[in-house]
Amino acid sequence: TQLIKPRIREILSRELPGELIQMLPKHWVQIGDVLILPLRPELEPHKHQIAEVYAQVLGVKTVLRKGRIGGEFRETNYELLYGNDAITVHVENGIKYKLDVARIMFSPANVKERVRMAKVAKPGELVVDMFAGIGHLSLPMAVHGKARVIAIEKSPYTFRFLVENIELNRVQDRMTAYNIDNRDFPGEDIADRVLMGYVGKTHEFIPKALSIAKEGAVIHYHNTVPERLMPREPFETFRRIAREHGYEVEKLNELVIKRYAPGVWHVVVDVRVFKK
Ligand code: SAM
């Protein structure tokens, strides 16, 4: 990789003025054979030419321009700069993740959490993943942890990849997927472990998570937290809502996953829950 950046600059400096060469992206993310490139506005007129050179030097089939992630389904809106489509299979920690990188998020920064979930899962236990995505967190639990998984995903488009990934990783016998809003999931008092891998409004789903959890179950509660509220939050909000619903909680562990925005962190807390 040491030679990649000089090679890209060399090729493009034949075609672009020197001040633009200084602005070429030095960092990028590769998911399967798709590249996500952050491009400054000054490079807009040359974006397709630049993308083509990155694609050739890095040997990827598609290049997307990095954009935002937003909305209920946490969809990406990455512009296609080079190639025909952004559907790819990304392999991480022995798991195959098929996805459309142009529309579905896959955060390299969450890798530690995906690896951790593979280790905390226990054979035979029942995990309910309330925000499954393409199986980001729960596929490792089914594949490596041999846990049984109920994976709930509301977006019909993302759900298609979740179903494919269950088959690609050959865990159909342990993992079942539902294309519903998790608030409509009927199971109560069933899970040994509940995954709440969602940010922003995760607290709104705490009552549902509590009703899915068995006595003594562990809930992996994710949320984004402004730095000034840490380390009290996000645990205090979880405990307050749990108590309002007749539960007592025990904090087992807390981890910062990544910087989410300036002064805001993505945090996960593991909590054990008991009925009062
Ligand atoms: N949990 C994975 C992780 O942490 O890497 C994937 C996270 S992704 C940001 C969250 C997923 O939850 C999205 O695919 C979104 O469509 C889904 N989602 C959002 N609201 C939901 C709801 N009410 N019920 C089920 N799925 C929902």
Side-chain angles (χ1 to χ4, degrees):
T1 55
Q2 286 303 321
L3 296 171
I4 286 170
K5 289 170 200 167
R7 179 91 190 106
I8 290 170
R9 291 159 78 100
E10 184 199 318
I11 298 171
L12 282 167
S13 57
R14 289 178 216 142
E15 319 187 25
L16 304 182
E19 68 266 23
L20 293 187
I21 296 298
Q22 302 308 317
M23 295 177 189
L24 289 172
K26 296 185 179 65
H27 305 280
W28 51 79
V29 164
Q30 188 175 336
I31 311 280
D33 51 9
V34 176
L35 202 69
I36 306 171
L37 210 54
L39 275 193
R40 293 179 48 163
E42 294 90 333
L43 298 170
E44 173 75 25
H46 310 283
K47 59 187 180 185
H48 295 291
Q49 197 181 3
I50 294 171
E52 186 173 347
V53 173
Y54 276 79
Q56 279 158 5
V57 175
L58 289 158
V60 296
K61 68 159 187 172
T62 298
V63 179
L64 303 174
R65 181 181 190 159
K66 190 174 182 200
R68 292 179 184 288
I69 299 179
E72 182 187 20
F73 297 157
R74 307 290 303 145
E75 283 192 316
T76 53
N77 68 341
Y78 297 171
E79 181 189 356
L80 187 72
L81 295 179
Y82 176 85
N84 297 315
D85 71 76
I87 295 177
T88 190
V89 178
H90 182 66
V91 182
E92 178 194 272
N93 185 27
I95 310 289
K96 296 189 190 100
Y97 293 100
K98 186 169 175 183
L99 76 160
D100 181 349
V101 184
R103 284 187 52 191
I104 298 169
M105 73 112 213
F106 190 95
S107 172
N110 295 358
V111 60
K112 270 201 304 191
E113 189 60 10
R114 289 189 289 271
V115 170
R116 187 174 81 97
M117 286 300 108
K119 293 182 188 151
V120 302
K122 294 186 190 70
E125 71 175 10
L126 181 66
V127 176
V128 174
D129 186 352
M130 292 175 69
F131 302 93
I134 58 165
H136 300 85
L137 295 169
S138 48
L139 280 169
M141 303 176 98
V143 172
H144 297 306
K146 309 275 187 254
R148 292 178 295 137
V149 174
I150 292 175
I152 308 171
E153 172 52 50
K154 188 174 179 182
S155 152
Y157 188 62
T158 303
F159 179 76
R160 278 170 34 193
F161 291 98
L162 172 62
V163 170
E164 268 199 72
N165 285 331
I166 291 172
E167 286 165 18
L168 264 178
N169 291 282
R170 302 182 190 285
V171 283
Q172 302 94 309
D173 58 331
R174 300 200 272 290
M175 194 161 167
T176 315
Y178 294 93
N179 184 203
I180 55 170
D181 188 307
N182 58 40
R183 286 165 290 205
D184 298 328
F185 178 67
E188 279 180 21
D189 212 357
I190 57 163
D192 299 292
R193 206 176 280 286
V194 180
L195 291 187
M196 302 183 77
Y198 194 57
V199 293
K201 294 183 176 174
T202 326
H203 52 278
E204 294 176 8
F205 298 84
I206 293 170
K208 187 66 192 182
L210 292 167
S211 78
I212 294 172
K214 272 199 229 170
E215 177 74 0
V218 175
I219 299 182
H220 299 282
Y221 175 66
H222 294 241
N223 217 338
T224 40
V225 188
E227 203 165 88
R228 64 191 153 77
L229 301 179
M230 286 161 64
R232 291 198 315 282
E233 292 292 355
F235 179 67
E236 272 192 8
T237 297
F238 189 98
R239 185 173 57 192
R240 176 177 55 76
I241 295 174
R243 283 179 177 166
E244 284 165 13
H245 287 79
Y247 288 81
E248 199 40 73
V249 299
E250 179 195 350
K251 181 175 175 179
L252 303 174
N253 195 8
E254 178 163 30
L255 293 163
V256 174
I257 293 183
K258 62 172 184 281
R259 198 183 79 120
Y260 182 78
V264 183
W265 297 86
H266 174 177
V267 178
V268 58
V269 208
D270 302 341
V271 267
R272 197 180 290 286
V273 298
F274 305 95
K275 290 201 186 80
K276 278 204 275 203

